[in-house]
Amino acid sequence: MRVLMFGWEFPPNITGGLAIACYGIIKSLAKHGIDVIFVVPRLIGGEDNKIAHLISASEIEFDERYYDYFKDYYEKIKCYAIDSPILPYVTPEEFEKIFKQKIKELNILPIEKVTKQKYYFSGKYGPNLIEEVARYSLIASKIAKENPHDIIHCHDWLTYPAGIAAKKISNNPLVIHVHATEFDRCGENINTYVYNIEKLGMEAADKIITVSNHTKNIVIQKYGINPDKVITIYNAIDPYDIEKVKQKKGFSEKLITFLGRITFQKGPEYFVEAAHKLYKKEKNVRFVMAGSGDMLEKMIRLVAYYNMGHKFHFTGFLMGEDVYRLFSMSDVYVMPSVSEPFGISPLEAMISNVPVIISKQSGVSEILTYAIKVDFWDTDALADAMHALIKYKGIREMFIKYGKEEVINLKWDNNAKKIINEVYIPLIFKRN
């Protein structure tokens, strides 16, 4: 079985959990004999090309004849309003609100003048994102035409137009993997461009994989999708030896960690508020906020307002071993997300022997027993949970021991088996 898979990032190009999830899924599919062609806008070097045939869309020469398949669709995407901020799942920054003279700056040729050429993709989430999504769909049509495959599998809204394009060319089943929705990123104040692309992808898909029942319910209720079309397959984690990166703190206080995008969705303000409440009764503590995002400056100001600057550390964005190095120094990990489709970072913390506190509004809370769960808005409960984990050794050790045992059983291999047996095979049989 050959799967044509579209993503937006792949390790070592990591902006968030999407790249990690794609890598875990592909690696495990390969173990089960699935041949994966994985396409990204741009390869940066250092990728693990042993587990899949990796294709950089930036290296594909595009011929104008492919516009015959797609001209109307491409023009429709290009003409969407793009003056409002776009907030994709994995970006740490707020997008620029006005893209003046965007087409001119990109030096885009009119449809009728296009000849053979390669498109440059940044593979990032900056002001050219909308045009890159549209162009990516065009490149997908050529890749689908020239690479035989049985299934098309797309990860998140950025790749849905590419998946639709590939399906139009090959007429093979389309699977979309929903790692987040626009309602997770923006609440009810959604960007209509992103919502429309998401809905278009969901309607075109033959099967939809969601990373939690939380996300599944959003897909059904907010996008009007038939429940029979949607299946939940939770994310997982690879084993990690924390000893190889273990590092001493260099101070005696307990360290409580927030790690993630510093955006509204992740609830950083609730973390700072709870930290302040804890600090008023417990001085033997420090806090770290690791990440970047549009609320970073606001959080720095809030910490300063509470006169806690000497107790707070802002590390910026961390990835790879630096994440586990931070966990090796942490005594508690907190994820107070307002809306979290899943949340891989609590699994990373638990496998690193760190007890975790997560919001009840997170998808990962559906499968974890040995994690303290609070409502994201309840900063009193969050502060009390922090205090219990740093103050009472028995409670802390229980969550460490049983939490690690719990996450060790959450394997990407199990995830891959479910994708193969409950998604791919039934779709192929149905087509035949």
Side-chain angles (χ1 to χ4, degrees):
M1 184 189 303
R2 173 173 280 190
V3 177
L4 176 58
M5 191 175 289
F6 293 95
W8 201 257
E9 59 182 60
F10 191 71
N13 179 21
I14 300 174
T15 309
L18 183 59
I20 297 169
C22 286
Y23 181 73
I25 291 168
I26 294 170
K27 185 172 62 174
S28 294
L29 287 174
K31 288 181 181 178
H32 293 284
I34 304 299
D35 183 12
V36 178
I37 302 169
F38 188 69
V39 186
V40 288
R42 178 181 172 84
L43 295 172
I44 65 173
E47 291 87 359
D48 183 0
N49 56 16
K50 296 179 181 178
I51 62 172
H53 175 46
L54 303 180
I55 295 179
S56 170
S58 296
E59 297 302 316
I60 302 298
E61 191 176 68
F62 192 80
D63 191 292
E64 63 181 348
R65 69 180 181 273
Y66 288 99
Y67 280 112
D68 293 338
Y69 293 102
F70 253 130
K71 183 176 178 179
D72 292 340
Y73 179 62
Y74 177 72
E75 287 297 313
K76 183 179 179 181
I77 290 179
K78 243 177 60 171
C79 291
Y80 269 113
I82 59 175
D83 289 335
S84 56
I86 304 297
L87 299 171
Y89 170 57
V90 292
T91 182
E93 292 88 15
E94 181 183 21
F95 284 127
E96 298 177 24
K97 293 186 178 181
I98 300 176
F99 305 145
K100 291 183 178 179
Q101 297 180 334
K102 180 177 184 299
I103 303 301
K104 181 179 178 181
E105 292 169 5
L106 284 168
N107 193 29
I108 297 172
L109 296 173
I111 289 289
E112 63 273 11
K113 295 183 181 179
V114 172
T115 56
K116 286 188 177 181
Q117 62 176 303
K118 290 181 181 178
Y119 290 137
Y120 172 81
F121 292 91
S122 68
K124 303 295 183 182
Y125 303 95
N128 297 341
L129 181 70
I130 302 304
E131 191 64 36
E132 290 201 8
V133 169
R135 286 181 169 186
Y136 194 47
S137 68
L138 295 175
I139 298 298
S141 66
K142 181 175 183 182
I143 294 173
K145 185 83 171 176
E146 297 179 350
N147 293 270
H149 55 278
D150 304 293
I151 294 281
I152 304 158
H153 189 155
C154 297
H155 295 275
D156 253 14
W157 75 269
L158 297 154
T159 71
Y160 294 170
I164 295 170
K167 181 177 180 179
K168 185 169 184 178
I169 294 295
S170 69
N171 202 32
N172 285 324
L174 171 63
V175 177
I176 67 166
H177 209 130
V178 184
H179 297 266
T181 70
E182 185 63 2
F183 293 94
D184 294 302
R185 293 179 288 267
C186 302
E188 294 300 319
N189 187 30
I190 62 169
N191 182 286
T192 54
Y193 169 80
V194 177
Y195 174 83
N196 287 336
I197 290 296
E198 289 178 329
K199 186 172 175 62
L200 193 65
M202 292 174 190
E203 290 173 345
D206 297 278
K207 197 71 174 180
I208 299 171
I209 299 173
T210 57
V211 295
S212 64
N213 288 328
H214 165 83
T215 303
K216 180 179 181 179
N217 290 335
I218 291 175
V219 167
I220 294 168
Q221 295 168 11
K222 300 289 189 180
Y223 296 84
I225 302 300
N226 186 335
D228 295 338
K229 194 175 178 178
V230 189
I231 183 173
T232 294
I233 301 180
Y234 294 105
N235 284 331
I237 189 171
D238 286 322
Y240 192 86
D241 182 9
I242 194 67
E243 294 299 321
K244 69 180 183 180
V245 296
K246 199 165 186 179
Q247 186 169 318
K248 292 184 178 180
K249 287 184 291 190
F251 50 86
S252 60
E253 296 101 321
K254 300 294 185 181
L255 184 64
I256 299 178
T257 295
F258 172 105
L259 184 145
R261 284 173 291 121
I262 305 178
T263 61
F264 171 78
Q265 178 193 354
K266 299 294 184 178
E269 191 166 4
Y270 299 105
F271 177 75
V272 175
E273 294 287 353
H276 177 239
K277 290 180 178 181
L278 174 61
Y279 183 60
K280 286 193 293 186
K281 61 183 178 182
E282 177 58 65
K283 304 301 181 186
N284 186 40
V285 64
R286 290 197 191 196
F287 306 91
V288 62
M289 183 167 281
S292 58
D294 61 284
M295 289 184 68
L296 176 58
E297 185 178 336
K298 181 179 179 181
M299 294 304 98
I300 293 173
R301 290 199 304 268
L302 185 58
V303 168
Y305 173 79
Y306 286 136
N307 295 315
M308 293 176 60
H310 63 301
K311 288 290 187 176
F312 246 91
H313 305 269
F314 293 90
T315 69
F317 178 73
L318 300 180
M319 60 182 286
E321 287 192 350
D322 286 338
V323 170
Y324 285 102
R325 191 169 289 111
L326 174 59
F327 283 142
S328 77
M329 296 184 283
S330 301
D331 295 284
V332 178
Y333 171 72
V334 180
M335 189 184 76
S337 297
V338 175
S339 180
E340 185 71 52
F342 185 77
I344 289 178
S345 54
L347 306 185
E348 295 173 329
M350 292 167 77
I351 209 163
S352 304
N353 304 312
V354 181
V356 304
I357 305 167
I358 58 177
S359 70
K360 294 177 181 178
Q361 290 71 29
S362 63
V364 73
S365 69
E366 297 171 15
I367 60 171
L368 291 181
T369 300
Y370 291 97
I372 297 179
K373 304 170 190 178
V374 300
D375 289 306
F376 71 85
W377 46 262
D378 194 342
T379 54
D380 288 319
L382 181 53
D384 288 343
M386 292 177 180
H387 188 251
L389 288 174
I390 64 172
K391 196 73 174 178
Y392 302 108
K393 184 178 179 181
I395 294 176
R396 172 180 166 79
E397 289 182 346
M398 179 194 71
F399 278 102
I400 289 174
K401 177 183 177 181
Y402 293 111
K404 186 166 187 175
E405 290 178 1
E406 187 171 35
V407 298
I408 284 174
N409 293 317
L410 300 176
K411 303 178 186 299
W412 284 115
D413 278 358
N414 296 334
N415 177 295
K417 287 177 185 176
K418 195 166 186 179
I419 291 173
I420 295 167
N421 294 329
E422 299 185 33
V423 179
Y424 291 170
I425 292 176
L427 285 178
I428 290 174
F429 281 154
K430 184 178 179 180
R431 181 192 62 187
N432 295 336

